[in-house]
Amino acid sequence: MSHIHKSFDRRAFLRATAGTTVAIAAASVTGATAASAAAAPSSLSIPKDRIGIQLYSIRDKVSALGFGVVLPELARIGYKEIEFAGYTQSTSILGRQITLPEIRKLLDDNGLRAVGSHVGIGNLRTNLQAELDAAQILGMPHVGTANAPSNVNTVAGYRAAADEFNVWGAAATARGLKLYQHNHAGEFAFATDQPSVRLYDVFLKNTDPRHVYLELDIYWAYVGQYRWPGFDPAAYVRNQPYRYPLFHMKDGDANAANANGFDIVEFGAGDLPYERFVRDIGPRASHVGIWEQDTAPNTLPNPPGSLGAAERSFTALKGLLG
């Protein structure tokens, strides 16, 4: 740990973080949500006391500073749930790579819980049991992939992918875990061989709800709606709430010059209809809200950089959820 402190001035970091503005976080999301949350606080199915973070958002800090610095800082901010995007850090921190039991101890020592992990779909195909082992060591209830189910964008291609996920999901269930798939926009496109059929619908219909779950990335779902209109992201959750244990709470700011229709921004700085989404998914089941911002490592000033974005976004998420 002494090496970590040499490479990271914690007091300087905290001063920098304290000096960052929370004006962005207070802007577009929290203003209208306070009244809504006050009106029906018990109806929200995204708990405000379980806000999570996808570590890809602060990948630069995890790599350079290590889990021993980053996890305590996330706990200080208020995050409770950690979704992993790999289990490595710079070997210069410890003189070797950190181990899974060491990461687990850091989680436990800081009152954090591993909620899930993004692994490559190739790892599920060739190294499934090892990935399930890692999940159990870290104490996480879910393990998933952010890869599309298939690169073959036909009905048959997505049916074949569903069959594969059903096998992996059954193996996860046998270990007391839940397998999930995280969407990007492309899953909401129409099949190339049947232009009236949405690929996401094929996957949802053909995967076994006992063994295969979904992590809805809300930003990418709205991008999908923008590019391939005709569906409501909230309706998927409302119709099958127990299949969506996890959400990615990523904000977007409308930009007609972007082919996706939105730019990724800090939570609270965009104009995605989060208040309406949270209301429209309904009160059934419980969904862990996980903050993600792909662009956070580019945040200036640095320090605090991506950790500053993490703190402001946590404040905005807390405001949204009441």
Side-chain angles (χ1 to χ4, degrees), residues 59-75:
R59 56 195 178 275
D60 58 322
K61 304 302 186 190
V62 172
S63 175
L65 305 177
F67 293 102
V69 168
V70 167
L71 293 181
E73 184 57 24
L74 295 177

Side-chain angles (χ1 to χ4, degrees), residues 40-114:
S42 62
S43 69
L44 299 184
S45 58
I46 309 175
K48 65 180 179 181
D49 59 351
R50 292 189 62 192
I51 296 173
I53 180 172
Q54 163 53 250
L55 293 184
Y56 182 74
S57 306
I58 55 169
R59 56 195 178 275
D60 58 322
K61 304 302 186 190
V62 172
S63 175
L65 305 177
F67 293 102
V69 168
V70 167
L71 293 181
E73 184 57 24
L74 295 177
R76 181 197 68 79
I77 290 170
Y79 287 102
K80 297 297 184 183
E81 310 273 357
I82 303 297
E83 185 180 38
F84 285 86
Y87 311 121
T88 61
Q89 60 186 28
S90 172
T91 55
S92 66
I93 295 170
L94 297 175
R96 57 173 173 79
Q97 192 49 259
I98 194 169
T99 66
L100 291 173
E102 287 171 331
I103 296 175
R104 174 62 185 272
K105 186 175 188 306
L106 286 168
L107 291 167
D108 292 345
D109 288 350
N110 288 282
L112 298 170
R113 181 191 189 207

Side-chain angles (χ1 to χ4, degrees), residues 87 100 129-140 175:
Y87 311 121
L100 291 173
Q129 292 303 324
E131 292 295 350
L132 300 180
D133 289 342
Q136 290 190 317
I137 291 169
L138 291 171
M140 66 178 66
R175 301 277 296 268

Side-chain angles (χ1 to χ4, degrees), residues 3-316:
H3 184 91
I4 294 176
H5 283 284
K6 287 179 182 176
S7 62
F8 182 71
D9 184 341
R10 183 173 176 79
R11 290 184 179 178
F13 166 75
L14 292 177
R15 285 197 301 270
T17 301
T20 58
T21 178
V22 295
I24 291 178
S28 63
V29 171
T30 57
T33 55
S36 174
S42 62
S43 69
L44 299 184
S45 58
I46 309 175
K48 65 180 179 181
D49 59 351
R50 292 189 62 192
I51 296 173
I53 180 172
Q54 163 53 250
L55 293 184
Y56 182 74
S57 306
I58 55 169
R59 56 195 178 275
D60 58 322
K61 304 302 186 190
V62 172
S63 175
L65 305 177
F67 293 102
V69 168
V70 167
L71 293 181
E73 184 57 24
L74 295 177
R76 181 197 68 79
I77 290 170
Y79 287 102
K80 297 297 184 183
E81 310 273 357
I82 303 297
E83 185 180 38
F84 285 86
Y87 311 121
T88 61
Q89 60 186 28
S90 172
T91 55
S92 66
I93 295 170
L94 297 175
R96 57 173 173 79
Q97 192 49 259
I98 194 169
T99 66
L100 291 173
E102 287 171 331
I103 296 175
R104 174 62 185 272
K105 186 175 188 306
L106 286 168
L107 291 167
D108 292 345
D109 288 350
N110 288 282
L112 298 170
R113 181 191 189 207
V115 71
S117 182
H118 284 186
V119 303
I121 199 169
N123 282 27
L124 297 178
R125 191 171 285 126
T126 63
N127 208 25
L128 178 61
Q129 292 303 324
E131 292 295 350
L132 300 180
D133 289 342
Q136 290 190 317
I137 291 169
L138 291 171
M140 66 178 66
H142 312 93
V143 62
T145 183
N147 294 136
S150 175
N151 292 324
V152 180
N153 293 333
T154 64
V155 170
Y158 264 62
R159 282 178 176 164
D163 290 342
E164 199 169 30
F165 271 81
N166 285 335
V167 172
W168 301 336
T173 300
R175 301 277 296 268
L177 301 168
K178 292 181 178 180
L179 175 78
Y180 64 93
Q181 193 270 338
H182 164 285
N183 65 275
H184 289 85
E187 288 90 323
F188 297 101
F190 293 101
T192 56
D193 58 335
Q194 296 187 42
S196 64
V197 177
R198 200 177 299 276
L199 293 169
Y200 193 78
D201 295 341
V202 175
F203 186 72
L204 196 62
K205 179 180 178 180
N206 289 280
T207 45
D208 189 333
R210 299 172 301 170
H211 302 309
V212 181
Y213 298 84
L214 292 305
E215 176 180 60
L216 188 72
D217 186 302
I218 298 166
Y219 168 86
W220 286 117
Y222 279 105
V223 171
Q225 183 191 64
Y226 175 85
R227 295 179 62 183
W228 300 283
F231 73 96
D232 174 15
Y236 282 111
V237 182
R238 190 168 61 247
N239 293 336
Q240 298 192 51
Y242 298 100
R243 294 198 74 181
Y244 290 88
L246 309 173
F247 290 151
H248 268 194
M249 312 285 282
K250 178 188 303 177
D251 209 352
D253 195 38
N255 180 4
N258 186 330
N260 288 328
F262 303 90
D263 296 326
I264 296 173
V265 295
E266 289 184 13
F267 201 90
D271 51 16
L272 287 184
Y274 267 97
E275 181 184 353
R276 187 176 74 220
F277 176 88
V278 171
R279 180 189 69 233
D280 288 354
I281 60 175
R284 293 187 300 155
S286 179
H287 319 279
V288 177
I290 300 170
W291 172 69
E292 184 184 46
Q293 183 187 337
D294 307 36
T295 58
N298 298 326
T299 302
L300 295 175
N302 188 12
S306 58
L307 282 168
E311 183 154 21
R312 292 187 294 273
S313 294
F314 177 85
T315 300

